[in-house]
Amino acid sequence: MQNIKKGDTVQVLKGKDRGKKGKVINVFAAAGKALVEGCQMAKKHRRQTRQDQKGGIISIEMPLAVSNLMIFCKHCSKPTRVGAMVLKDGTKTRVCKACKEVL
Ligand SMILES: [Zn+2]
């Protein structure tokens, strides 16, 4: 599985939003799904459940399967495979397999 994290920029590989890019808003690791900004939008009828939410019809992002997403490399300007790299101080980081830049 890809190591997609909140805040990553990803491209959608499958579904109605194929080819779209967006920022990962949230990751549901247990379900293998992620919410991507502006992708897989669905209209929802919602009652006001909290004070900061509006009732009525709203558009919200639906979770996408992580397997249908690919991390988008800013350096290559295309979706890429992710490699792991251990930094000098021992922390693990993710790198683009194509350009070896840290993602
Ligand atoms: Zn790259």
Side-chain angles (χ1 to χ4, degrees):
M1 200 205 276
Q2 293 249 12
N3 197 1
I4 287 175
K5 285 181 187 167
K6 197 169 164 179
D8 284 343
T9 301
V10 294
Q11 186 159 350
V12 181
L13 302 179
K14 281 183 185 170
K16 65 172 182 169
D17 286 327
R18 189 168 49 169
K20 257 194 192 178
K21 286 201 302 273
K23 206 170 162 187
V24 176
I25 306 165
N26 214 340
V27 176
F28 309 102
K33 292 191 167 183
L35 277 184
V36 183
E37 197 175 58
C39 295
Q40 201 71 9
M41 299 303 291
K43 292 250 194 295
K44 281 245 166 168
H45 297 258
R46 176 173 271 188
R47 260 179 287 159
Q48 190 170 359
T49 51
R50 288 199 312 243
Q51 289 213 325
D52 59 349
Q53 283 180 333
K54 279 198 176 123
I57 301 169
I58 53 159
S59 282
I60 60 157
E61 286 95 353
M62 297 298 286
L64 284 153
V66 168
S67 57
N68 291 344
L69 303 172
M70 218 169 179
I71 289 190
F72 192 86
C73 177
K74 295 189 284 281
H75 308 284
C76 308
S77 296
K78 59 186 178 189
T80 186
R81 288 183 176 276
V82 177
M85 198 172 78
V86 180
L87 298 175
K88 281 175 192 154
D89 64 0
T91 53
K92 268 192 189 170
T93 189
R94 298 168 308 155
V95 295
C96 167
K97 276 199 174 170
C99 66
K100 311 290 182 202
E101 291 283 349
V102 174
L103 292 164

